[in-house]
């Protein structure tokens, strides 16, 4: 099973982000994720990744709203850590705050401007890719095990997608050798 590998990779990148003090944002941070020692008057707020509180039932409710199931590896991802920012390769994953992850993810997936270009065509966005566009699960393929290929939707070529990774695990583990991340 990929669970231990997936959680190890996520922890590696989140730890790296915190070590370079990348975990600050100029907006409200949920109390469970906020640095309790930070001066409350400071504009930029420090946040820390925390253990996920996402349940299987919550994921199932979200999938019902979406009309398809997430890949198992992505469910592991959702149930591992809450964060505001996570970068792996050129992927900037949609924020995953502790008390509002469904709303946050829903805003990105069901964004009115993307509905016709993506959701209606079976592409489920989950991360930004550099400044090119969005990484999406192609739910039209591998329906039997929901291990969808990852496609890149370029906002400048809205009618096209490009295959970029075989699946979610392939995306997050692509850079492991280069970063000496243990598999």
């Amino acid at each position: 099973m990929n669970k231990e590998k997936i959680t190890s990779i996520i922890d590696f990148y989140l730890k790296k982000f915190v070590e370079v003090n990348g975990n600050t944002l100029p907006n409200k941070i949920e109390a469970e994720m906020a640095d309790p020692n930070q001066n409350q008057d400071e504009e930029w707020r420090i946040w820390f990744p925390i253990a996920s509180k996402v349940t299987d039932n919550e994921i199932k409710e979200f999938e019902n709203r979406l009309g398809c199931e997430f890949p198992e590896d992505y469910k592991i991802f959702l149930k591992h850590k809450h964060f505001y920012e996570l970068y792996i390769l050129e992927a900037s994953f949609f924020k995953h705050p502790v008390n509002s992850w469904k709303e946050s993810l829903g805003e990105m997936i069901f964004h009115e401007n993307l509905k016709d270009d993506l959701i209606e065509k079976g592409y489920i966005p989950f991360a930004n890719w550099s400044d090119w566009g969005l990484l999406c699960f192609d739910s039209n393929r591998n329906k039997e095990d929901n291990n969808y290929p990852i496609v890149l939707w370029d906002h400048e070529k809205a009618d096209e997608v490009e295959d970029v990774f075989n699946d979610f695990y392939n995306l997050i583990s692509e850079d492991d050798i280069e970063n000496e991340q243990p598999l």
Side-chain angles (χ1 to χ4, degrees):
M1 182 188 243
N2 288 337
K3 183 176 181 178
E4 292 78 23
K5 293 176 185 177
I6 292 168
T7 58
S8 174
I9 292 167
I10 295 164
D11 289 343
F12 174 81
Y13 284 101
L14 286 171
K15 180 179 182 227
K16 200 169 157 180
F17 195 65
V18 169
E19 285 174 353
V20 299
N21 298 317
N23 58 323
T24 59
L25 291 171
N27 33 352
K28 186 177 182 227
I29 302 296
E30 295 190 45
E32 295 94 327
M33 298 176 71
D35 182 350
N37 301 315
Q38 183 176 10
N39 179 337
Q40 298 299 314
D41 295 330
E42 291 183 32
E43 179 182 353
W44 285 77
R45 311 298 305 149
I46 298 171
W47 62 271
F48 293 106
I50 63 170
S52 178
K53 296 181 180 181
V54 174
T55 66
D56 290 331
N57 285 339
E58 289 175 312
I59 290 174
K60 186 49 105 183
E61 287 172 14
F62 196 93
E63 290 172 330
N64 288 340
R65 179 179 171 204
L66 185 59
C68 71
E69 291 185 38
F70 287 130
E72 287 303 314
D73 291 344
Y74 187 65
K75 292 178 190 180
I76 292 168
F77 174 86
L78 292 174
K79 295 190 305 184
H80 182 58
K81 290 283 171 95
H82 288 290
F83 55 84
Y84 282 95
E85 295 180 291
L86 172 60
Y87 299 92
I88 299 176
L89 297 170
E90 295 292 318
S92 170
F93 291 87
F94 296 160
K95 67 182 179 176
H96 190 53
V98 65
N99 296 312
S100 57
W101 72 270
K102 287 186 284 187
E103 294 83 6
S104 178
L105 189 59
E107 284 175 21
M108 297 305 293
I109 291 178
F110 300 109
H111 190 281
E112 191 61 35
N113 294 340
L114 302 177
K115 189 175 180 183
D116 293 338
D117 289 328
L118 297 176
I119 299 299
E120 298 296 323
K121 295 177 182 174
Y123 304 123
I124 298 135
F126 63 90
N128 289 299
W129 184 256
S130 192
D131 62 352
W132 292 15
L134 298 170
L135 291 180
C136 305
F137 297 116
D138 182 351
S139 69
N140 301 300
R141 297 185 278 167
N142 296 348
K143 288 184 178 188
E144 60 280 345
D145 66 359
N146 306 321
N147 199 22
Y148 314 120
I150 307 299
V151 296
L152 173 61
W153 175 79
D154 185 335
H155 53 278
E156 293 182 10
K157 300 175 186 172
D159 293 332
E160 300 174 25
V161 294
E162 173 188 345
D163 285 355
V164 287
F165 296 99
N166 292 334
D167 55 31
F168 185 76
Y169 181 75
N170 181 248
L171 160 65
I172 66 169
S173 64
E174 180 77 17
D175 205 30
D176 288 335
I177 295 171
E178 191 173 309
N179 284 307
E180 299 175 16
Q181 167 62 25
L183 290 175

